[in-house]
Amino acid sequence: MKKIEMTEAIILAKKSAKMSWEALAEKVGLSTTFVTSACLGMNSLKKEPAEKLCEVLGLDEEVAITLQEYPNKTWDFTIPQDPLVYRLYEVVGVYGETIKEIVGEKFGDGIMSAIDFSLDIYKEENPLGDRVVITMNGKFLPYKSW
Amino acid sequence: MKKIEMTEAIILAKKSAKMSWEALAEKVGLSTTFVTSACLGMNSLKKEPAEKLCEVLGLDEEVAITLQEYPNKTWDFTIPQDPLVYRLYEVVGVYGETIKEIVGEKFGDGIMSAIDFSLDIYKEENPLGDRVVITMNGKFLPYKSW
Amino acid sequence: MKKIEMTEAIILAKKSAKMSWEALAEKVGLSTTFVTSACLGMNSLKKEPAEKLCEVLGLDEEVAITLQEYPNKTWDFTIPQDPLVYRLYEVVGVYGETIKEIVGEKFGDGIMSAIDFSLDIYKEENPLGDRVVITMNGKFLPYKSW
Amino acid sequence: MKKIEMTEAIILAKKSAKMSWEALAEKVGLSTTFVTSACLGMNSLKKEPAEKLCEVLGLDEEVAITLQEYPNKTWDFTIPQDPLVYRLYEVVGVYGETIKEIVGEKFGDGIMSAIDFSLDIYKEENPLGDRVVITMNGKFLPYKSW
Amino acid sequence: MKKIEMTEAIILAKKSAKMSWEALAEKVGLSTTFVTSACLGMNSLKKEPAEKLCEVLGLDEEVAITLQEYPNKTWDFTIPQDPLVYRLYEVVGVYGETIKEIVGEKFGDGIMSAIDFSLDIYKEENPLGDRVVITMNGKFLPYKSW
Amino acid sequence: MKKIEMTEAIILAKKSAKMSWEALAEKVGLSTTFVTSACLGMNSLKKEPAEKLCEVLGLDEEVAITLQEYPNKTWDFTIPQDPLVYRLYEVVGVYGETIKEIVGEKFGDGIMSAIDFSLDIYKEENPLGDRVVITMNGKFLPYKSW
Amino acid sequence: MKKIEMTEAIILAKKSAKMSWEALAEKVGLSTTFVTSACLGMNSLKKEPAEKLCEVLGLDEEVAITLQEYPNKTWDFTIPQDPLVYRLYEVVGVYGETIKEIVGEKFGDGIMSAIDFSLDIYKEENPLGDRVVITMNGKFLPYKSW
Amino acid sequence: MKKIEMTEAIILAKKSAKMSWEALAEKVGLSTTFVTSACLGMNSLKKEPAEKLCEVLGLDEEVAITLQEYPNKTWDFTIPQDPLVYRLYEVVGVYGETIKEIVGEKFGDGIMSAIDFSLDIYKEENPLGDRVVITMNGKFLPYKSW
Amino acid sequence: MKKIEMTEAIILAKKSAKMSWEALAEKVGLSTTFVTSACLGMNSLKKEPAEKLCEVLGLDEEVAITLQEYPNKTWDFTIPQDPLVYRLYEVVGVYGETIKEIVGEKFGDGIMSAIDFSLDIYKEENPLGDRVVITMNGKFLPYKSW
Amino acid sequence: MKKIEMTEAIILAKKSAKMSWEALAEKVGLSTTFVTSACLGMNSLKKEPAEKLCEVLGLDEEVAITLQEYPNKTWDFTIPQDPLVYRLYEVVGVYGETIKEIVGEKFGDGIMSAIDFSLDIYKEENPLGDRVVITMNGKFLPYKSW
């Protein structure tokens, strides 16, 4: 079974079960974002949460095994096209240099890890229109000399 | 005066004054990220903070006027190359579809605005290595039918 | 059912029924442009118009459900090739900076939303050759400082 | 004198004169959009309006001559990056096929000319936020057989 | 039936009938180039020639209907690779600016339409080697001011 | 002297002399297209016409020598952007395969040379709007086996 | 039968017959390189060698007919990736300008034809390591004026 | 002194001395192709030929030193545009797979080195038109297992 | 059998046999890296190790034959996307010029062969986090003059 | 002072002093590779080694300050062109998937850091031709779930 078939199987089962990603993640005991990314084939789950997820959705073991495989992370377009995803790319373009300046000032020369990393999405209710709040949290990795 | 000359003038003055972006932003009364991005030529300041900033750094009026001009937001590489900025691009590639799924689940069909938007950077101290925390906060804009 | 299969099913049914997009949109109670874009898989319909559209064309519920799903908006070529679509891209290239200048002058620093947005197409009869009139109407979103 | 030097000269003079594009266009007797695009080097003016424009702004004849030269229309990025201009590109991507369908239905097989063409920008006041209205008007050109 | 299937059907029937494009075009009453381009899916035929063509080649009505559909004009490589087609691209690169200069001199500021357009190919016999003669004939479209 | 400086010198002198490309070519004794392309740096002239051209325009010998140098033929954009030049590229995209079919039918397997080649531009007067007529004439080069 | 299916059929038959390209070419009476390129679908064979080749390999007439069809010459990557082919591309990059200088010096302004052209590959035995010798032989085509 | 300035100095001196590349190479005692490529900045010369070359052309020591520096080999376009160089690229595209097949057959799995490599250009006189003969000679490097 | 089918067959058999690449390589008598790359279709094996590998995994002769075929080395993205592979690409970008400087200093003008080449991967245990050690070993190939 | 000017100053001083990178690094007390990369503007030095380096080469304080600035790491071509650097890119293409497999087997799902990373270059003497040995050593970063 390939990751792409796994994703299709999960989405179909999730629709039948009328479960949200949030409810599914709660059952599995991990964050919504991480569970969703694993189901979309961009991360791997450990054995236990993989099996729990399949149990909740009534999926067979092949799905659980495929969830544990290490994914090849690739995406469709070098510049994303869907408006929601493009806006995130635009933010990187507009604020990338700013982030570099401020991280440099606060931490020294280095980067924010995208591996030792988590990402969460909240809904902030607001009478002028609700707001999407995305928080990225990555370990600072200093450049070393040797 | 062009934005690029303005940026050079500000960075030179900031070095001489030995001021951090954070201290500068505090004087101007806006967030560190926003003030930095305006100084790097990616946003415009209103008249008052522009003049305040020039006063603090001892820069002449031409800089203040240029800070108020509406910038053309462009960046150097369609795929960023500096490791710090690339990691942010990678996050968009790896988690873009996940974010779309979860925003869809929480808000309905629509996007997070990159215009009615703010971005902040914190340092989270951690004995295993400090962490960079980036928070994006953008208005949810629903797609409309007509 | 995928969006692409949905589009094929709708176009086949529309041909059999010898209905124009305009007539279809009128039945559904939305604008021609919006209904067409939803049928081509670039927008989602709410439950009621989706079901109405399927009723009019004699399509089953799966189509109605797929019409309600949130689309991934992607397109085939980064620079469009069909002459009609390329001309629109050319207009953006030739007049983009002009539009930026005039929007800046009339509204201040900001953009025209492509989400809180509508687009209509009229035929202007003219003895020297009929004219295509395309009107875009998008909310002005000012850049904010924070 | 090159078009790019002409544009710089005009913008400088316009700033000194504290004239808007709208006021300038009114003096010249052409639409705001067209005059702006000619000043930005993307269209040529006839002799009379070119001279009128230079008279109003106190610019010498070289500018008037350069305004009359036929421009090479080129732009900086195959995919525009400034958020305002990108949104227009996105509209072409999302609605291009829709426009093709509807123009085909209303006019037959052909295109909207981008040459025998005009474009106007209005401000629609709205208590929920003002709206940008862009109207394109181009001659329909039918494909011919021979 | 899709345009690509239509093309395959026509080419198969044409081979069986041992007809040249020239003979086919003569029967249909249009130029060789135009008929060929329609059969290759890059132009649409009106009802009568479409039916005539199918009658001549013994093809069923579905082909005739598909010939009348408005095509999406797209091509495989942004820079063509086949040597014959590449040479034409090279001509545009080498002589494009020259053509712009001379059209400007002869007609004023504007373009040659690629829509109100015809293209013909002749064989010029020559003892030093026969020559290919390609003639393009397009309406001059002047840029307008408004 | 570089080709680009040569071009600037010629265009300046041509403006002062108020000569058209056509008149210039007539003096030189070659076609308008070829002379223009050599002046724009895309072809080389033999000694005699190079000197004649400089004599007519009152340019010094350095220009005549540079006109005789073999040019590197390069152009600015892989896909041309100016509307006039783009239309020619579009013609190659839309009719490339058609031309390949018809040349194959008329001549056998081979190409039209872009080197043993000439190109001319005529103005066809027409009450419905004048037409641009471009004629390409290139030697047929058959593929050989060995 | 498509060229790609033809290639597969020939390679299969060639493996069964345990024939080298060299032996095959000898039977057909043409050079190894040309026969191989025709079998890979990049050139067409005349009737006689096409039929001879099929007779030798025991292939049916459809293959012989497909070998005679005029190919569309296209390749997979604009920059080749396989190390052997990339090295050839690198040679063009490193020595292209040098070749242009020397051809200009020896022949005048013009090119080496890639159509009236042959290419051969020899093995030069050498105690320090055998060497690959590739010889290209193309007609010189001078640029003409007209 | 940069390689590009070195090239300009050599070409100027070579013009004054009215020497061909061939004559220059003969004086230096290396092949025409190699000397030309070193003068164009794509290879380095050893001390002795570098000084000989400068002596012949009356150039100072800085040129001789720069000729000995190890060059960064880069070129202007990923796909070459000048017709002479493009034809070589086309040959790689059309015959690349053929060369791979035949080298595999003659030598086993491996490549032709582009480093332990030489390239020569001859003029083959021919009553039907002279021919350019390019010979590449590179060491065969077998892939190894380990 | 194609290389891609061979890879799938090997990976399936390897999973069933619960063998690591390391264990497999040991049985075959070659390095882990080389055996893995051959199984992934990027290198060819000689007859003996190919047959040994198939024996160990219980695969039939077709796999052994396909392992011996000379591969076309191509990869999916010109800029790799998977984070592990991208980091290697980034290293080439950041340290490429440095490596060129140091190789030049230690060896003279030339390159490290990627053909007469081996690559090994070790795990270096470390209390602060284990480390990946990649060693490349390639023959130095000096540029020659001729 | 910009990094690029710093690099030019260092290389000039290093030439005058006739020092190798290796000797320079030894004086500074860091590895050759790291010192070279910092001098080429791809890494920053701490205060002490920066000042030591300037002292050794007789460079003023501005160089020492610029060496301490955090660099923007960018490179010239997305696919490197110089043969030495290209070979490294090719290694990533050919062995990237292999490295991913083996790192996965040895360490689990994760990457080799390119930040907590060192790279060294040795010369391995060999009677069949000396060999370049490049060793990369990067911390393994496991993907985490959250």
Side-chain angles (χ1 to χ4, degrees), chain G residues 13-72:
Chain G
K14 176 176 164 292
K15 269 192 197 171
S16 304
K18 301 201 177 186
M19 281 191 86
S20 66
W21 290 114
E22 199 162 8
L24 193 59
E26 209 170 312
K27 294 274 188 193
V28 170
L30 291 165
S31 75
T32 309
T33 334
F34 188 77
V35 171
T36 307
S37 78
C39 292
L40 295 177
M42 287 303 240
N43 271 307
S44 59
L45 288 186
K46 303 282 183 208
K47 193 161 188 287
E48 203 190 353
E51 286 176 350
K52 183 70 192 172
L53 190 147
C54 291
E55 188 198 312
V56 170
L57 291 176
L59 290 161
D60 63 28
E61 217 203 318
E62 211 182 349
V63 173
I65 286 168
T66 313
L67 274 166
Q68 296 171 61
E69 284 173 5
Y70 305 162
N72 269 300

Side-chain angles (χ1 to χ4, degrees), chain I residues 21 78 89 101 105 131 137, chain J residues 21 78 89 101 131 137:
Chain I
W21 291 114
T78 53
Y89 168 78
E101 277 292 318
E105 184 173 301
R131 300 184 73 84
N137 183 313
Chain J
W21 291 114
T78 53
Y89 168 78
E101 277 290 319
R131 301 183 72 84
N137 182 313

Side-chain angles (χ1 to χ4, degrees), chain E residues 21 78 89 101 105 131 137, chain F residues 21 78 89 101 131 137:
Chain E
W21 290 114
T78 52
Y89 168 78
E101 276 292 319
E105 184 173 301
R131 299 184 74 83
N137 182 312
Chain F
W21 291 114
T78 53
Y89 168 79
E101 277 291 319
R131 300 183 73 84
N137 183 313

Side-chain angles (χ1 to χ4, degrees), chain B:
Chain B
M1 184 178 247
K2 296 186 176 168
K3 288 274 181 190
I4 203 164
E5 295 159 347
M6 173 198 82
T7 298
E8 285 184 9
I10 291 172
I11 283 179
L12 219 71
K14 176 177 165 290
K15 269 192 198 171
S16 305
K18 303 205 177 187
M19 279 190 87
S20 65
W21 290 114
E22 198 162 7
L24 192 60
E26 209 170 311
K27 294 275 188 193
V28 170
L30 291 165
S31 75
T32 309
T33 335
F34 187 77
V35 171
T36 307
S37 76
C39 291
L40 297 176
M42 288 303 239
N43 272 306
S44 61
L45 289 186
K46 304 282 183 207
K47 193 161 190 285
E48 201 191 355
E51 288 176 347
K52 183 71 191 172
L53 190 146
C54 290
E55 187 198 312
V56 170
L57 292 175
L59 291 160
D60 63 29
E61 216 202 318
E62 212 183 349
V63 174
I65 286 167
T66 313
L67 274 165
Q68 295 171 60
E69 283 173 5
Y70 305 162
N72 269 300
K73 303 182 178 189
T74 57
W75 44 91
D76 263 10
F77 298 91
T78 52
I79 299 180
Q81 295 186 308
D82 182 82
L84 183 140
V85 187
Y86 181 82
R87 295 308 177 273
L88 299 169
Y89 169 78
E90 191 177 280
V91 164
V92 174
V94 173
Y95 293 98
E97 213 185 332
T98 293
I99 295 172
K100 190 171 167 69
E101 276 292 319
I102 295 176
V103 168
E105 184 172 302
K106 282 185 196 288
F107 294 83
D109 200 6
I111 69 158
M112 175 182 79
S113 179
I115 308 299
D116 186 336
F117 173 86
S118 66
L119 183 151
D120 291 289
I121 302 164
Y122 302 101
K123 181 178 192 168
E124 185 185 289
E125 305 214 341
N126 187 316
L128 299 169
D130 293 342
R131 301 184 72 85
V132 182
V133 181
I134 297 175
T135 306
M136 299 175 182
N137 183 313
K139 192 176 180 182
F140 175 71
L141 303 179
Y143 288 113
K144 294 210 209 155
S145 52
W146 69 90

